[in-house]
Amino acid sequence: MTAPTPRPDLLHRTENGVSWITLNRPEAMNAVTWDQRDRIIALLADASADPAIRAVVISATGKGFCAGADLRGSPAAGERVAGDVARMIRLGAQRLITAVLDCEKPVLAAVNGTAAGIGAHLALACDLVIAAEPARFIEVFVRRGLVPDGGGAYLLPRLIGPQKAKELMFFGDAVPAAEAERLGLVNKVVPADALEETARAWAERLAQGPTRALAMTKQLVNASLDGDRAAALAAEATAQEINMSTADANEGVASFVERRTPKYLGR
């Protein structure tokens, strides 16, 4: 008797210029394994390099977006020595979050349910976040006696300020989708049955945009949070210099002069 084919724990498809990366372990609330992290990182790198991909959506099946890290899938290790934990975090959670932040295409999170720990940071590292009404975000680390990792202490203060970030991290309370939108963690909240449709509409709109200009805009905004005004303005001028050599920039100017809708090709 033939054994049943195992269900893939990560789904991927490309439609209309959008790379859809979907966590598919609903029985584990999509807790992400080490192997899944590596494949997500690879798919994000592929999206950066492939001119046919012009936006990315990270989504999930079932009732949870991502309940955090599933450490059972971590590489086997012997006796722990100093530096092992830091190395694991650098190569695991931090590498995943960095891959989202550094992806050269806009990355949108479609959050269907609970996003906890590294799952919350995976969503919040995305450029845009759409949440279903049942979704909630939890800085769960304090409940386990842990320090937030996966870039949490970097991301949250930049999104909502240090005082509110400390409140969420000190108490570990669940933040419902509507409150997350009010705080600025989420761009839009929609009914659960409208989540995929809304994410598709936003992602395909991004995929019709001037892809290189969007990539450089993303880079400028992210970098502006870490540098001074002079560095930000210098980076802006350099980015515009580079961007003006693209076909999409020429098309944007030509369409304005000719009073027509631009048709961007992502080049």
Side-chain angles (χ1 to χ4, degrees):
M1 183 175 178
T2 304
T5 303
R7 186 190 65 214
D9 60 7
L10 190 71
L11 307 176
H12 179 250
R13 69 185 192 275
T14 301
E15 295 176 356
N16 299 323
V18 179
S19 172
W20 289 78
I21 301 171
T22 303
L23 300 174
N24 189 39
R25 298 181 68 223
E27 73 285 353
M29 293 289 283
N30 292 308
V32 67
T33 66
W34 191 278
D35 181 61
Q36 281 178 301
R37 279 196 295 249
D38 283 346
R39 283 179 283 148
I40 294 168
I41 290 166
L43 287 169
L44 290 166
D46 290 345
S48 289
D50 187 348
I53 296 176
R54 298 171 64 187
V56 177
V57 176
I58 297 177
S59 62
T61 60
K63 295 183 179 180
F65 176 74
C66 178
D70 187 340
L71 299 180
R72 290 172 296 182
S74 301
E79 182 181 357
R80 180 182 296 173
V81 298
D84 283 351
V85 172
R87 187 181 310 106
M88 180 183 70
I89 291 170
R90 282 198 310 273
L91 297 178
Q94 290 180 352
R95 198 162 58 97
L96 175 62
I97 298 307
T98 299
V100 177
L101 292 170
D102 290 346
C103 182
E104 295 177 27
K105 308 298 166 65
V107 183
L108 188 154
V111 182
N112 55 315
T114 297
I118 186 62
H121 300 165
L122 175 61
L124 299 178
C126 293
D127 302 302
L128 299 170
V129 183
I130 301 174
E133 289 171 347
R136 55 186 191 151
F137 299 80
I138 310 173
E139 286 297 318
V140 75
F141 299 93
V142 71
R143 300 185 184 183
R144 311 288 181 260
L146 300 174
V147 172
D149 62 36
Y154 175 86
L155 291 167
L156 259 73
R158 286 162 171 77
L159 291 168
I160 58 176
Q163 297 302 110
K164 198 67 183 180
K166 290 173 191 173
E167 178 186 335
L168 300 187
M169 291 179 167
F170 287 0
F171 294 116
D173 294 334
V175 180
E179 175 69 2
E181 183 181 29
R182 187 187 70 79
L183 291 174
L185 293 171
V186 167
N187 294 89
K188 188 178 182 67
V189 176
V190 298
D193 59 5
L195 179 63
E196 184 172 347
E197 177 186 351
T198 306
R200 179 179 292 106
W202 278 34
E204 292 185 0
R205 182 177 175 187
L206 290 168
Q208 295 299 312
T211 308
R212 299 313 306 160
L214 292 176
M216 284 185 275
T217 300
K218 170 177 178 171
Q219 184 179 38
L220 285 171
V221 172
N222 287 349
S224 75
L225 299 170
D226 300 317
D228 59 25
R229 182 178 64 184
L233 294 180
E236 174 186 275
T238 300
Q240 192 69 290
E241 172 77 21
I242 296 169
N243 183 65
M244 287 302 291
S245 67
T246 65
D248 281 348
N250 291 329
E251 167 65 6
V253 173
S255 65
F256 174 75
V257 172
E258 297 165 12
R259 298 183 180 180
R260 60 176 174 80
T261 302
K263 184 175 178 59
Y264 295 121
L265 301 176
R267 299 175 185 273

